Amino acid sequence: MSRAFASSRWRKAATPLLLVLVWQGLAWAGLISPEVLPSPLAIAHTFWRLTVSGELPHHLVVSLARAASGLLIGIAVGGTLALMAGLSTQGEDIVDATVQMLRTLPHLAIVPLFILWFGIGETPKIALVALGVTFAIYINLFSGIRHVDAKIVEAARTLGATRREMIRHIILPGALPSALVGLRLAVGTAWLSLVVGEQINATSGIGFLIMDAREFMQTDVIFVGLIVYALLGLSTDMLIRYLDRRVFAWRPSFVRH
């Protein structure tokens, strides 16, 4: 098992590692301009310099706080709306059409409105993250509720289960896989929304670090910010996938060798 795990980890890391080696080789050969595309070693040096100086950790903490706040709000709002629409036809009539219209609006179109409503402080940035998360949670949880096996629901009714018991013991557990998929999408959307929010009227955060570096043509700092965003997205996605495997360890799944 350990050999298989190590082999799998190596295969996943091989392609990115190869790309980095080729990238560094092209930089050493002088085929890539450092102003356009800094070498991996230059980016690593900048990453270390920003970390030691405390600048990168400061901006990272600010971004994490914004993402976590927006994520929690979005999960609460999206989950509530999905329960309203999924558990009741009347709730669906009230909620679903409005949510479907709002979720098609691009983030950049909403930013000016949020600035007018909430000003240029932390609120519009957190609200932008929460909005994106709400839609991802709503769509997947609503779908999960509506696709619970009807035969199981009917069997529960036959056995005399009350509506509350069916919701608690059948519908919500049955919708949990879809809810976790929604959570994965929500986390990804949270980081994408944060990228947009932190590049507008921000004075701190990874997005601000990137925009400030753009003003001074510091391409290496821009790449550091992008890599941090990518690592945050990857690590949070891996965490949710691990949670999914632990929660549904009993469920058979197809694995291609």
Side-chain angles (χ1 to χ4, degrees):
M1 180 64 69
S2 58
R3 287 186 177 180
F5 178 77
S7 177
S8 174
R9 302 291 290 184
W10 168 249
R11 288 196 301 268
K12 290 179 181 179
T15 301
L17 181 60
L18 179 62
L19 290 175
V20 169
L21 291 176
V22 172
W23 179 3
Q24 184 63 51
L26 293 175
W28 276 335
L31 299 177
I32 300 177
S33 170
E35 287 76 19
V36 176
L37 188 63
S39 70
L41 288 179
I43 295 172
H45 178 266
T46 302
F47 186 95
W48 175 253
R49 174 174 58 82
L50 292 174
T51 301
V52 171
S53 68
E55 186 176 0
L56 184 59
H58 166 70
H59 291 300
L60 178 59
V61 169
V62 172
S63 292
L64 287 173
R66 289 170 179 159
S69 300
L71 186 65
L72 291 175
I73 295 171
I75 289 174
V77 175
T80 300
L81 293 175
L83 291 174
M84 290 174 57
L87 299 175
S88 167
T89 303
Q90 291 81 4
E92 181 182 3
D93 294 339
I94 295 171
V95 171
D96 190 64
T98 303
V99 173
Q100 298 299 341
M101 286 189 295
L102 290 176
R103 77 182 183 89
T104 61
L105 296 176
H107 280 58
L108 289 176
I110 301 175
V111 168
L113 189 59
F114 275 15
I115 292 175
L116 289 175
W117 285 350
F118 307 121
I120 59 175
E122 292 297 300
T123 303
K125 301 172 183 59
I126 295 174
L128 197 64
V129 174
L131 187 66
V133 170
T134 295
F135 298 139
I137 294 295
Y138 172 84
I139 293 297
N140 287 275
L141 182 55
F142 173 78
S143 175
I145 292 172
R146 288 303 176 91
H147 287 86
V148 172
D149 194 335
K151 294 180 180 179
I152 299 178
V153 174
E154 188 60 34
R157 285 201 185 101
T158 303
L159 294 173
T162 64
R163 177 176 174 80
R164 178 176 296 183
E165 289 172 339
M166 283 196 297
I167 291 173
R168 180 179 178 183
H169 298 292
I170 296 175
I171 295 177
L172 292 183
L176 186 56
S178 294
L180 287 175
V181 173
L183 184 59
R184 287 185 65 187
L185 294 175
V187 170
T189 303
W191 294 120
L192 293 175
S193 302
L194 190 64
V195 171
V196 176
E198 287 190 333
Q199 293 186 21
I200 301 173
N201 296 311
T203 58
S204 59
I206 301 299
F208 167 77
L209 183 68
I210 292 174
M211 295 302 292
D212 189 59
R214 186 196 67 175
E215 297 295 327
F216 296 97
M217 301 293 293
Q218 297 174 319
T219 314
D220 53 343
V221 177
I222 294 175
F223 270 91
V224 168
L226 295 176
I227 291 171
V228 169
Y229 273 134
L231 291 176
L232 288 173
L234 177 62
S235 59
T236 49
D237 184 73
M238 290 176 63
L239 179 62
I240 297 172
R241 292 177 66 181
Y242 172 77
L243 177 63
D244 179 77
R245 289 195 300 269
R246 291 298 300 268
V247 172
F248 299 105
W250 53 268
R251 185 178 59 185
S253 61
F254 171 75
V255 179
R256 183 171 59 187
H257 297 283

